[in-house]
Amino acid sequence: MSVGFVGLGNMGQGMADNLLNKGTDLTVFTRTQSKIQAMIDKGAKGSTSVSDLTSRVDVVLVCLPDVKTSRDVLLGDDGVINNMRPGQVAVDHSTVDIATSRACSEAAEAVGGHFLDAPISGGPGGAADATLSIMVGGTDNAFKIAHKYFLMMGANIKMMGPSGAGTAMKLINQLLVGVNTVAAAEAFALANAAGVDIKVAADLLAVSWGGSTMVSRSAPITAARDFENSAAPVRNVDKDMGIIKQLANEEGLALDLAVQVQSMFAEMIAQGKKEHDIAAVLEIIEERSN
């Protein structure tokens, strides 16, 4: 089978590289022509548009930066689903809202195609190393078709349930990423104030109840204050926490920590720090401190 990949950003590039390096008949499209050419130089095929790519492959994978772009690429006139053939599979690896995933599934079903919401976690490093977690919503039949390609990109693939379940799981994950990132930043602010070395603290926390993935990840970045131009920028978690906040309002959920965390990342965006690393939320804590 042939595979198309749309979106060669911080995550998509590593994912597409792994597909190509593991023998996939791969066609790519992204808005930056130089990235397409670089993939052609590696042995992939290039395409001129989303509809062109869709017409040439059996499975279409997309990995995009925000809800609007996902809806345009998947549901637009020149998008994947409007140009699908019966039996074709479309997969969205982006982080979007549940309503978007379900709308894509319904639209694909209406033209005889299949859709999977399959968001990812693991950061650019996980994308490059093929160790991503991939959480999937959709039908078992579509999952069986796409599974071999998921295995080329990830180490933890889990079918979560029907359409929208993969996206729901990603939002659960992102809620914890956001809250734990801020919690780690508060802990590091306390460490700085008390004269405790952050790296030494992180080593101890790694074998204590207070440890977490975000503590381990943020510690060296925070110690070096290496916040600018990150591959895990504030704009991404701000977008995701905004989706979670909207979902909480719709479902009547009192997600108080998530709402507070979203406001802190929104404050960073307002300060022009959208490309800063998420660990840079430490700066908001410092600004609010005496």
PDB file of all heavy atoms in Angstrom, residues 4-6 15 59-64 73-74 80-81 84 88-94 104 114-120 134-137 142-143 145-147 149-150 153:
ATOM      1  N   GLY A   4       0.429   8.651   2.075  1.00  0.00           N
ATOM      2  CA  GLY A   4       0.686  10.069   1.928  1.00  0.00           C
ATOM      3  C   GLY A   4       0.823  10.703   3.298  1.00  0.00           C
ATOM      4  O   GLY A   4       0.133  10.305   4.239  1.00  0.00           O
ATOM      5  N   PHE A   5       1.712  11.684   3.404  1.00  0.00           N
ATOM      6  CA  PHE A   5       1.895  12.383   4.679  1.00  0.00           C
ATOM      7  C   PHE A   5       1.822  13.878   4.425  1.00  0.00           C
ATOM      8  O   PHE A   5       2.562  14.412   3.599  1.00  0.00           O
ATOM      9  CB  PHE A   5       3.247  12.029   5.309  1.00  0.00           C
ATOM     10  CG  PHE A   5       3.299  12.276   6.795  1.00  0.00           C
ATOM     11  CD1 PHE A   5       3.159  11.241   7.688  1.00  0.00           C
ATOM     12  CD2 PHE A   5       3.454  13.571   7.286  1.00  0.00           C
ATOM     13  CE1 PHE A   5       3.187  11.461   9.060  1.00  0.00           C
ATOM     14  CE2 PHE A   5       3.477  13.812   8.650  1.00  0.00           C
ATOM     15  CZ  PHE A   5       3.348  12.757   9.543  1.00  0.00           C
ATOM     16  N   VAL A   6       0.946  14.547   5.167  1.00  0.00           N
ATOM     17  CA  VAL A   6       0.759  15.998   5.041  1.00  0.00           C
ATOM     18  C   VAL A   6       1.185  16.667   6.343  1.00  0.00           C
ATOM     19  O   VAL A   6       0.646  16.354   7.410  1.00  0.00           O
ATOM     20  CB  VAL A   6      -0.709  16.359   4.739  1.00  0.00           C
ATOM     21  CG1 VAL A   6      -0.864  17.873   4.607  1.00  0.00           C
ATOM     22  CG2 VAL A   6      -1.196  15.654   3.484  1.00  0.00           C
ATOM     23  N   MET A  15       8.240  11.706  11.905  1.00  0.00           N
ATOM     24  CA  MET A  15       7.316  10.616  11.591  1.00  0.00           C
ATOM     25  C   MET A  15       7.454  10.193  10.133  1.00  0.00           C
ATOM     26  O   MET A  15       7.533   9.003   9.813  1.00  0.00           O
ATOM     27  CB  MET A  15       5.889  11.058  11.901  1.00  0.00           C
ATOM     28  CG  MET A  15       5.651  11.347  13.370  1.00  0.00           C
ATOM     29  SD  MET A  15       4.127  12.295  13.666  1.00  0.00           S
ATOM     30  CE  MET A  15       2.891  11.021  13.346  1.00  0.00           C
ATOM     31  N   VAL A  59      -3.464   5.375   1.991  1.00  0.00           N
ATOM     32  CA  VAL A  59      -3.630   5.862   3.368  1.00  0.00           C
ATOM     33  C   VAL A  59      -3.045   7.275   3.441  1.00  0.00           C
ATOM     34  O   VAL A  59      -1.918   7.495   2.992  1.00  0.00           O
ATOM     35  CB  VAL A  59      -2.900   4.949   4.382  1.00  0.00           C
ATOM     36  CG1 VAL A  59      -3.024   5.511   5.786  1.00  0.00           C
ATOM     37  CG2 VAL A  59      -3.444   3.522   4.315  1.00  0.00           C
ATOM     38  N   VAL A  60      -3.812   8.210   4.003  1.00  0.00           N
ATOM     39  CA  VAL A  60      -3.345   9.590   4.164  1.00  0.00           C
ATOM     40  C   VAL A  60      -3.188   9.888   5.646  1.00  0.00           C
ATOM     41  O   VAL A  60      -4.148   9.776   6.421  1.00  0.00           O
ATOM     42  CB  VAL A  60      -4.319  10.605   3.536  1.00  0.00           C
ATOM     43  CG1 VAL A  60      -3.769  12.028   3.696  1.00  0.00           C
ATOM     44  CG2 VAL A  60      -4.575  10.295   2.075  1.00  0.00           C
ATOM     45  N   LEU A  61      -1.988  10.275   6.049  1.00  0.00           N
ATOM     46  CA  LEU A  61      -1.709  10.688   7.416  1.00  0.00           C
ATOM     47  C   LEU A  61      -1.462  12.193   7.428  1.00  0.00           C
ATOM     48  O   LEU A  61      -0.736  12.703   6.573  1.00  0.00           O
ATOM     49  CB  LEU A  61      -0.461   9.977   7.956  1.00  0.00           C
ATOM     50  CG  LEU A  61      -0.357   8.466   7.745  1.00  0.00           C
ATOM     51  CD1 LEU A  61       0.967   7.947   8.294  1.00  0.00           C
ATOM     52  CD2 LEU A  61      -1.527   7.741   8.400  1.00  0.00           C
ATOM     53  N   VAL A  62      -2.056  12.893   8.387  1.00  0.00           N
ATOM     54  CA  VAL A  62      -1.801  14.327   8.504  1.00  0.00           C
ATOM     55  C   VAL A  62      -1.379  14.635   9.932  1.00  0.00           C
ATOM     56  O   VAL A  62      -1.858  14.029  10.891  1.00  0.00           O
ATOM     57  CB  VAL A  62      -3.030  15.179   8.098  1.00  0.00           C
ATOM     58  CG1 VAL A  62      -3.547  14.769   6.726  1.00  0.00           C
ATOM     59  CG2 VAL A  62      -4.138  15.096   9.123  1.00  0.00           C
ATOM     60  N   CYS A  63      -0.459  15.592  10.060  1.00  0.00           N
ATOM     61  CA  CYS A  63       0.007  16.038  11.380  1.00  0.00           C
ATOM     62  C   CYS A  63       0.160  17.554  11.304  1.00  0.00           C
ATOM     63  O   CYS A  63       1.131  18.054  10.722  1.00  0.00           O
ATOM     64  CB  CYS A  63       1.328  15.364  11.740  1.00  0.00           C
ATOM     65  SG  CYS A  63       1.876  15.692  13.437  1.00  0.00           S
ATOM     66  N   LEU A  64      -0.790  18.276  11.901  1.00  0.00           N
ATOM     67  CA  LEU A  64      -0.931  19.703  11.654  1.00  0.00           C
ATOM     68  C   LEU A  64      -0.981  20.503  12.951  1.00  0.00           C
ATOM     69  O   LEU A  64      -1.245  19.943  14.022  1.00  0.00           O
ATOM     70  CB  LEU A  64      -2.200  19.929  10.817  1.00  0.00           C
ATOM     71  CG  LEU A  64      -2.175  19.150   9.478  1.00  0.00           C
ATOM     72  CD1 LEU A  64      -3.562  19.047   8.887  1.00  0.00           C
ATOM     73  CD2 LEU A  64      -1.208  19.807   8.511  1.00  0.00           C
ATOM     74  N   VAL A  73      -7.478  21.118   5.907  1.00  0.00           N
ATOM     75  CA  VAL A  73      -6.803  20.047   5.168  1.00  0.00           C
ATOM     76  C   VAL A  73      -7.686  18.813   5.045  1.00  0.00           C
ATOM     77  O   VAL A  73      -7.692  18.142   4.004  1.00  0.00           O
ATOM     78  CB  VAL A  73      -5.461  19.700   5.846  1.00  0.00           C
ATOM     79  CG1 VAL A  73      -4.881  18.400   5.295  1.00  0.00           C
ATOM     80  CG2 VAL A  73      -4.466  20.841   5.664  1.00  0.00           C
ATOM     81  N   LEU A  74      -8.449  18.516   6.081  1.00  0.00           N
ATOM     82  CA  LEU A  74      -9.263  17.299   6.053  1.00  0.00           C
ATOM     83  C   LEU A  74     -10.649  17.525   5.455  1.00  0.00           C
ATOM     84  O   LEU A  74     -11.160  16.671   4.721  1.00  0.00           O
ATOM     85  CB  LEU A  74      -9.400  16.738   7.466  1.00  0.00           C
ATOM     86  CG  LEU A  74      -8.128  16.091   8.012  1.00  0.00           C
ATOM     87  CD1 LEU A  74      -8.199  15.950   9.526  1.00  0.00           C
ATOM     88  CD2 LEU A  74      -7.886  14.730   7.363  1.00  0.00           C
ATOM     89  N   VAL A  80      -8.596  16.345   2.093  1.00  0.00           N
ATOM     90  CA  VAL A  80      -8.466  14.884   1.986  1.00  0.00           C
ATOM     91  C   VAL A  80      -9.814  14.217   1.774  1.00  0.00           C
ATOM     92  O   VAL A  80     -10.011  13.449   0.822  1.00  0.00           O
ATOM     93  CB  VAL A  80      -7.791  14.308   3.254  1.00  0.00           C
ATOM     94  CG1 VAL A  80      -7.787  12.781   3.202  1.00  0.00           C
ATOM     95  CG2 VAL A  80      -6.370  14.848   3.402  1.00  0.00           C
ATOM     96  N   ILE A  81     -10.769  14.480   2.640  1.00  0.00           N
ATOM     97  CA  ILE A  81     -12.001  13.697   2.649  1.00  0.00           C
ATOM     98  C   ILE A  81     -12.854  13.962   1.417  1.00  0.00           C
ATOM     99  O   ILE A  81     -13.452  13.033   0.856  1.00  0.00           O
ATOM    100  CB  ILE A  81     -12.777  13.961   3.954  1.00  0.00           C
ATOM    101  CG1 ILE A  81     -11.973  13.383   5.136  1.00  0.00           C
ATOM    102  CG2 ILE A  81     -14.174  13.342   3.903  1.00  0.00           C
ATOM    103  CD1 ILE A  81     -12.515  13.715   6.507  1.00  0.00           C
ATOM    104  N   MET A  84     -11.458  11.696  -1.289  1.00  0.00           N
ATOM    105  CA  MET A  84     -11.215  10.295  -0.953  1.00  0.00           C
ATOM    106  C   MET A  84     -11.920   9.356  -1.915  1.00  0.00           C
ATOM    107  O   MET A  84     -12.974   9.670  -2.485  1.00  0.00           O
ATOM    108  CB  MET A  84     -11.720   9.976   0.465  1.00  0.00           C
ATOM    109  CG  MET A  84     -10.912  10.556   1.588  1.00  0.00           C
ATOM    110  SD  MET A  84     -11.577  10.071   3.227  1.00  0.00           S
ATOM    111  CE  MET A  84     -10.877   8.413   3.369  1.00  0.00           C
ATOM    112  N   GLN A  88     -10.597   4.125   1.192  1.00  0.00           N
ATOM    113  CA  GLN A  88      -9.367   4.830   1.568  1.00  0.00           C
ATOM    114  C   GLN A  88      -9.417   5.218   3.054  1.00  0.00           C
ATOM    115  O   GLN A  88     -10.482   5.401   3.626  1.00  0.00           O
ATOM    116  CB  GLN A  88      -9.221   6.080   0.704  1.00  0.00           C
ATOM    117  CG  GLN A  88      -7.814   6.619   0.568  1.00  0.00           C
ATOM    118  CD  GLN A  88      -7.728   7.674  -0.526  1.00  0.00           C
ATOM    119  OE1 GLN A  88      -8.743   8.127  -1.063  1.00  0.00           O
ATOM    120  NE2 GLN A  88      -6.521   8.084  -0.843  1.00  0.00           N
ATOM    121  N   VAL A  89      -8.245   5.326   3.673  1.00  0.00           N
ATOM    122  CA  VAL A  89      -8.154   5.641   5.097  1.00  0.00           C
ATOM    123  C   VAL A  89      -7.460   6.986   5.284  1.00  0.00           C
ATOM    124  O   VAL A  89      -6.385   7.224   4.713  1.00  0.00           O
ATOM    125  CB  VAL A  89      -7.373   4.553   5.866  1.00  0.00           C
ATOM    126  CG1 VAL A  89      -7.241   4.931   7.342  1.00  0.00           C
ATOM    127  CG2 VAL A  89      -8.056   3.200   5.722  1.00  0.00           C
ATOM    128  N   ALA A  90      -8.066   7.860   6.084  1.00  0.00           N
ATOM    129  CA  ALA A  90      -7.451   9.130   6.475  1.00  0.00           C
ATOM    130  C   ALA A  90      -7.215   9.099   7.979  1.00  0.00           C
ATOM    131  O   ALA A  90      -8.071   8.632   8.740  1.00  0.00           O
ATOM    132  CB  ALA A  90      -8.352  10.303   6.100  1.00  0.00           C
ATOM    133  N   VAL A  91      -6.052   9.593   8.389  1.00  0.00           N
ATOM    134  CA  VAL A  91      -5.674   9.585   9.806  1.00  0.00           C
ATOM    135  C   VAL A  91      -5.217  10.981  10.209  1.00  0.00           C
ATOM    136  O   VAL A  91      -4.371  11.577   9.544  1.00  0.00           O
ATOM    137  CB  VAL A  91      -4.525   8.583  10.069  1.00  0.00           C
ATOM    138  CG1 VAL A  91      -4.160   8.580  11.552  1.00  0.00           C
ATOM    139  CG2 VAL A  91      -4.898   7.181   9.595  1.00  0.00           C
ATOM    140  N   ASP A  92      -5.778  11.476  11.312  1.00  0.00           N
ATOM    141  CA  ASP A  92      -5.360  12.780  11.829  1.00  0.00           C
ATOM    142  C   ASP A  92      -4.536  12.572  13.093  1.00  0.00           C
ATOM    143  O   ASP A  92      -5.049  12.131  14.121  1.00  0.00           O
ATOM    144  CB  ASP A  92      -6.577  13.641  12.136  1.00  0.00           C
ATOM    145  CG  ASP A  92      -6.192  15.077  12.493  1.00  0.00           C
ATOM    146  OD1 ASP A  92      -5.007  15.429  12.326  1.00  0.00           O
ATOM    147  OD2 ASP A  92      -7.083  15.835  12.935  1.00  0.00           O
ATOM    148  N   HIS A  93      -3.241  12.905  13.007  1.00  0.00           N
ATOM    149  CA  HIS A  93      -2.352  12.807  14.160  1.00  0.00           C
ATOM    150  C   HIS A  93      -2.289  14.106  14.953  1.00  0.00           C
ATOM    151  O   HIS A  93      -1.544  14.204  15.929  1.00  0.00           O
ATOM    152  CB  HIS A  93      -0.940  12.437  13.695  1.00  0.00           C
ATOM    153  CG  HIS A  93      -0.813  11.040  13.179  1.00  0.00           C
ATOM    154  ND1 HIS A  93      -1.061   9.932  13.951  1.00  0.00           N
ATOM    155  CD2 HIS A  93      -0.461  10.570  11.954  1.00  0.00           C
ATOM    156  CE1 HIS A  93      -0.848   8.836  13.239  1.00  0.00           C
ATOM    157  NE2 HIS A  93      -0.500   9.199  12.024  1.00  0.00           N
ATOM    158  N   SER A  94      -3.047  15.108  14.542  1.00  0.00           N
ATOM    159  CA  SER A  94      -3.026  16.415  15.190  1.00  0.00           C
ATOM    160  C   SER A  94      -3.817  16.379  16.501  1.00  0.00           C
ATOM    161  O   SER A  94      -4.611  15.462  16.743  1.00  0.00           O
ATOM    162  CB  SER A  94      -3.644  17.467  14.270  1.00  0.00           C
ATOM    163  OG  SER A  94      -3.243  17.275  12.924  1.00  0.00           O
ATOM    164  N   CYS A 104     -14.990  14.740  10.972  1.00  0.00           N
ATOM    165  CA  CYS A 104     -14.169  14.091   9.948  1.00  0.00           C
ATOM    166  C   CYS A 104     -14.603  12.648   9.735  1.00  0.00           C
ATOM    167  O   CYS A 104     -14.660  12.161   8.602  1.00  0.00           O
ATOM    168  CB  CYS A 104     -12.697  14.145  10.336  1.00  0.00           C
ATOM    169  SG  CYS A 104     -11.972  15.791  10.260  1.00  0.00           S
ATOM    170  N   HIS A 114     -12.687   5.800   5.395  1.00  0.00           N
ATOM    171  CA  HIS A 114     -12.482   5.550   6.821  1.00  0.00           C
ATOM    172  C   HIS A 114     -11.666   6.685   7.417  1.00  0.00           C
ATOM    173  O   HIS A 114     -10.799   7.253   6.757  1.00  0.00           O
ATOM    174  CB  HIS A 114     -11.726   4.231   7.047  1.00  0.00           C
ATOM    175  CG  HIS A 114     -12.337   3.050   6.376  1.00  0.00           C
ATOM    176  ND1 HIS A 114     -13.464   2.413   6.852  1.00  0.00           N
ATOM    177  CD2 HIS A 114     -11.968   2.376   5.257  1.00  0.00           C
ATOM    178  CE1 HIS A 114     -13.769   1.398   6.063  1.00  0.00           C
ATOM    179  NE2 HIS A 114     -12.875   1.372   5.087  1.00  0.00           N
ATOM    180  N   PHE A 115     -11.928   6.982   8.682  1.00  0.00           N
ATOM    181  CA  PHE A 115     -11.172   8.024   9.377  1.00  0.00           C
ATOM    182  C   PHE A 115     -10.779   7.558  10.760  1.00  0.00           C
ATOM    183  O   PHE A 115     -11.580   6.933  11.468  1.00  0.00           O
ATOM    184  CB  PHE A 115     -11.996   9.308   9.500  1.00  0.00           C
ATOM    185  CG  PHE A 115     -11.306  10.392  10.287  1.00  0.00           C
ATOM    186  CD1 PHE A 115     -10.344  11.194   9.694  1.00  0.00           C
ATOM    187  CD2 PHE A 115     -11.598  10.585  11.643  1.00  0.00           C
ATOM    188  CE1 PHE A 115      -9.689  12.180  10.427  1.00  0.00           C
ATOM    189  CE2 PHE A 115     -10.951  11.571  12.374  1.00  0.00           C
ATOM    190  CZ  PHE A 115      -9.989  12.374  11.764  1.00  0.00           C
ATOM    191  N   LEU A 116      -9.541   7.866  11.150  1.00  0.00           N
ATOM    192  CA  LEU A 116      -9.057   7.596  12.501  1.00  0.00           C
ATOM    193  C   LEU A 116      -8.532   8.881  13.113  1.00  0.00           C
ATOM    194  O   LEU A 116      -7.755   9.605  12.478  1.00  0.00           O
ATOM    195  CB  LEU A 116      -7.917   6.571  12.480  1.00  0.00           C
ATOM    196  CG  LEU A 116      -8.240   5.166  11.999  1.00  0.00           C
ATOM    197  CD1 LEU A 116      -6.945   4.363  11.828  1.00  0.00           C
ATOM    198  CD2 LEU A 116      -9.181   4.452  12.971  1.00  0.00           C
ATOM    199  N   ASP A 117      -8.974   9.193  14.312  1.00  0.00           N
ATOM    200  CA  ASP A 117      -8.287  10.237  15.075  1.00  0.00           C
ATOM    201  C   ASP A 117      -7.198   9.516  15.870  1.00  0.00           C
ATOM    202  O   ASP A 117      -7.478   8.616  16.657  1.00  0.00           O
ATOM    203  CB  ASP A 117      -9.241  11.025  15.979  1.00  0.00           C
ATOM    204  CG  ASP A 117     -10.199  10.165  16.799  1.00  0.00           C
ATOM    205  OD1 ASP A 117     -11.178   9.662  16.215  1.00  0.00           O
ATOM    206  OD2 ASP A 117      -9.967  10.003  18.017  1.00  0.00           O
ATOM    207  N   ALA A 118      -5.943   9.902  15.630  1.00  0.00           N
ATOM    208  CA  ALA A 118      -4.805   9.191  16.213  1.00  0.00           C
ATOM    209  C   ALA A 118      -3.735  10.174  16.686  1.00  0.00           C
ATOM    210  O   ALA A 118      -2.604  10.175  16.187  1.00  0.00           O
ATOM    211  CB  ALA A 118      -4.224   8.215  15.197  1.00  0.00           C
ATOM    212  N   PRO A 119      -4.080  11.044  17.638  1.00  0.00           N
ATOM    213  CA  PRO A 119      -3.090  12.007  18.127  1.00  0.00           C
ATOM    214  C   PRO A 119      -1.909  11.307  18.792  1.00  0.00           C
ATOM    215  O   PRO A 119      -1.978  10.127  19.148  1.00  0.00           O
ATOM    216  CB  PRO A 119      -3.889  12.858  19.115  1.00  0.00           C
ATOM    217  CG  PRO A 119      -5.069  12.033  19.482  1.00  0.00           C
ATOM    218  CD  PRO A 119      -5.381  11.187  18.303  1.00  0.00           C
ATOM    219  N   ILE A 120      -0.843  12.058  18.953  1.00  0.00           N
ATOM    220  CA  ILE A 120       0.445  11.501  19.356  1.00  0.00           C
ATOM    221  C   ILE A 120       0.987  12.216  20.573  1.00  0.00           C
ATOM    222  O   ILE A 120       0.639  13.365  20.840  1.00  0.00           O
ATOM    223  CB  ILE A 120       1.457  11.603  18.200  1.00  0.00           C
ATOM    224  CG1 ILE A 120       1.497  13.034  17.673  1.00  0.00           C
ATOM    225  CG2 ILE A 120       1.115  10.620  17.093  1.00  0.00           C
ATOM    226  CD1 ILE A 120       2.461  13.292  16.535  1.00  0.00           C
ATOM    227  N   ILE A 134       0.664   6.578  20.446  1.00  0.00           N
ATOM    228  CA  ILE A 134      -0.368   6.902  19.454  1.00  0.00           C
ATOM    229  C   ILE A 134      -1.692   6.371  19.986  1.00  0.00           C
ATOM    230  O   ILE A 134      -1.852   5.166  20.176  1.00  0.00           O
ATOM    231  CB  ILE A 134      -0.050   6.295  18.077  1.00  0.00           C
ATOM    232  CG1 ILE A 134       1.339   6.754  17.608  1.00  0.00           C
ATOM    233  CG2 ILE A 134      -1.123   6.702  17.058  1.00  0.00           C
ATOM    234  CD1 ILE A 134       1.775   6.146  16.283  1.00  0.00           C
ATOM    235  N   MET A 135      -2.629   7.284  20.256  1.00  0.00           N
ATOM    236  CA  MET A 135      -3.915   6.933  20.846  1.00  0.00           C
ATOM    237  C   MET A 135      -4.986   7.082  19.781  1.00  0.00           C
ATOM    238  O   MET A 135      -5.125   8.148  19.191  1.00  0.00           O
ATOM    239  CB  MET A 135      -4.180   7.777  22.078  1.00  0.00           C
ATOM    240  CG  MET A 135      -3.870   9.252  21.934  1.00  0.00           C
ATOM    241  SD  MET A 135      -3.229  10.096  23.409  1.00  0.00           S
ATOM    242  CE  MET A 135      -1.455   9.888  23.208  1.00  0.00           C
ATOM    243  N   VAL A 136      -5.736   6.020  19.526  1.00  0.00           N
ATOM    244  CA  VAL A 136      -6.534   5.933  18.303  1.00  0.00           C
ATOM    245  C   VAL A 136      -8.021   5.780  18.593  1.00  0.00           C
ATOM    246  O   VAL A 136      -8.431   4.991  19.448  1.00  0.00           O
ATOM    247  CB  VAL A 136      -6.059   4.737  17.441  1.00  0.00           C
ATOM    248  CG1 VAL A 136      -6.748   4.764  16.074  1.00  0.00           C
ATOM    249  CG2 VAL A 136      -4.542   4.735  17.286  1.00  0.00           C
ATOM    250  N   GLY A 137      -8.823   6.537  17.832  1.00  0.00           N
ATOM    251  CA  GLY A 137     -10.262   6.382  17.849  1.00  0.00           C
ATOM    252  C   GLY A 137     -10.769   6.087  16.449  1.00  0.00           C
ATOM    253  O   GLY A 137     -10.265   6.643  15.477  1.00  0.00           O
ATOM    254  N   ALA A 142     -10.455   0.059  10.061  1.00  0.00           N
ATOM    255  CA  ALA A 142      -9.509   1.106   9.680  1.00  0.00           C
ATOM    256  C   ALA A 142      -8.226   0.993  10.488  1.00  0.00           C
ATOM    257  O   ALA A 142      -7.124   1.206   9.960  1.00  0.00           O
ATOM    258  CB  ALA A 142     -10.148   2.477   9.884  1.00  0.00           C
ATOM    259  N   PHE A 143      -8.354   0.644  11.763  1.00  0.00           N
ATOM    260  CA  PHE A 143      -7.177   0.495  12.617  1.00  0.00           C
ATOM    261  C   PHE A 143      -6.266  -0.615  12.102  1.00  0.00           C
ATOM    262  O   PHE A 143      -5.033  -0.463  12.091  1.00  0.00           O
ATOM    263  CB  PHE A 143      -7.620   0.201  14.049  1.00  0.00           C
ATOM    264  CG  PHE A 143      -6.490   0.045  15.029  1.00  0.00           C
ATOM    265  CD1 PHE A 143      -5.710   1.128  15.402  1.00  0.00           C
ATOM    266  CD2 PHE A 143      -6.208  -1.197  15.587  1.00  0.00           C
ATOM    267  CE1 PHE A 143      -4.673   0.985  16.315  1.00  0.00           C
ATOM    268  CE2 PHE A 143      -5.176  -1.352  16.496  1.00  0.00           C
ATOM    269  CZ  PHE A 143      -4.405  -0.261  16.858  1.00  0.00           C
ATOM    270  N   ILE A 145      -5.853  -1.559   9.062  1.00  0.00           N
ATOM    271  CA  ILE A 145      -5.173  -1.098   7.844  1.00  0.00           C
ATOM    272  C   ILE A 145      -4.002  -0.187   8.197  1.00  0.00           C
ATOM    273  O   ILE A 145      -2.914  -0.291   7.622  1.00  0.00           O
ATOM    274  CB  ILE A 145      -6.170  -0.359   6.922  1.00  0.00           C
ATOM    275  CG1 ILE A 145      -7.237  -1.334   6.418  1.00  0.00           C
ATOM    276  CG2 ILE A 145      -5.439   0.292   5.751  1.00  0.00           C
ATOM    277  CD1 ILE A 145      -8.392  -0.662   5.696  1.00  0.00           C
ATOM    278  N   ALA A 146      -4.215   0.715   9.150  1.00  0.00           N
ATOM    279  CA  ALA A 146      -3.193   1.720   9.471  1.00  0.00           C
ATOM    280  C   ALA A 146      -2.164   1.238  10.491  1.00  0.00           C
ATOM    281  O   ALA A 146      -1.089   1.845  10.611  1.00  0.00           O
ATOM    282  CB  ALA A 146      -3.878   2.982  10.002  1.00  0.00           C
ATOM    283  N   HIS A 147      -2.441   0.162  11.181  1.00  0.00           N
ATOM    284  CA  HIS A 147      -1.618  -0.251  12.317  1.00  0.00           C
ATOM    285  C   HIS A 147      -0.153  -0.460  11.949  1.00  0.00           C
ATOM    286  O   HIS A 147       0.748  -0.074  12.708  1.00  0.00           O
ATOM    287  CB  HIS A 147      -2.200  -1.517  12.946  1.00  0.00           C
ATOM    288  CG  HIS A 147      -1.514  -1.932  14.210  1.00  0.00           C
ATOM    289  ND1 HIS A 147      -0.730  -3.053  14.304  1.00  0.00           N
ATOM    290  CD2 HIS A 147      -1.477  -1.340  15.439  1.00  0.00           C
ATOM    291  CE1 HIS A 147      -0.249  -3.158  15.534  1.00  0.00           C
ATOM    292  NE2 HIS A 147      -0.681  -2.144  16.244  1.00  0.00           N
ATOM    293  N   TYR A 149       1.646   1.019   9.892  1.00  0.00           N
ATOM    294  CA  TYR A 149       2.345   2.308   9.752  1.00  0.00           C
ATOM    295  C   TYR A 149       2.522   2.986  11.107  1.00  0.00           C
ATOM    296  O   TYR A 149       3.546   3.648  11.350  1.00  0.00           O
ATOM    297  CB  TYR A 149       1.599   3.193   8.764  1.00  0.00           C
ATOM    298  CG  TYR A 149       1.429   2.509   7.438  1.00  0.00           C
ATOM    299  CD1 TYR A 149       0.170   2.089   6.989  1.00  0.00           C
ATOM    300  CD2 TYR A 149       2.535   2.211   6.636  1.00  0.00           C
ATOM    301  CE1 TYR A 149       0.024   1.424   5.783  1.00  0.00           C
ATOM    302  CE2 TYR A 149       2.383   1.544   5.423  1.00  0.00           C
ATOM    303  CZ  TYR A 149       1.128   1.149   5.016  1.00  0.00           C
ATOM    304  OH  TYR A 149       0.983   0.472   3.820  1.00  0.00           O
ATOM    305  N   PHE A 150       1.544   2.786  11.991  1.00  0.00           N
ATOM    306  CA  PHE A 150       1.698   3.307  13.351  1.00  0.00           C
ATOM    307  C   PHE A 150       2.921   2.682  14.027  1.00  0.00           C
ATOM    308  O   PHE A 150       3.651   3.354  14.745  1.00  0.00           O
ATOM    309  CB  PHE A 150       0.445   3.014  14.183  1.00  0.00           C
ATOM    310  CG  PHE A 150      -0.797   3.737  13.733  1.00  0.00           C
ATOM    311  CD1 PHE A 150      -2.052   3.305  14.148  1.00  0.00           C
ATOM    312  CD2 PHE A 150      -0.738   4.854  12.909  1.00  0.00           C
ATOM    313  CE1 PHE A 150      -3.208   3.962  13.756  1.00  0.00           C
ATOM    314  CE2 PHE A 150      -1.888   5.522  12.506  1.00  0.00           C
ATOM    315  CZ  PHE A 150      -3.127   5.068  12.935  1.00  0.00           C
ATOM    316  N   MET A 153       6.186   4.342  13.516  1.00  0.00           N
ATOM    317  CA  MET A 153       6.359   5.677  14.089  1.00  0.00           C
ATOM    318  C   MET A 153       6.280   5.702  15.608  1.00  0.00           C
ATOM    319  O   MET A 153       6.725   6.662  16.226  1.00  0.00           O
ATOM    320  CB  MET A 153       5.289   6.625  13.526  1.00  0.00           C
ATOM    321  CG  MET A 153       5.294   6.766  12.012  1.00  0.00           C
ATOM    322  SD  MET A 153       4.039   7.924  11.408  1.00  0.00           S
ATOM    323  CE  MET A 153       2.514   7.036  11.804  1.00  0.00           C
TER     324      MET A 153
END
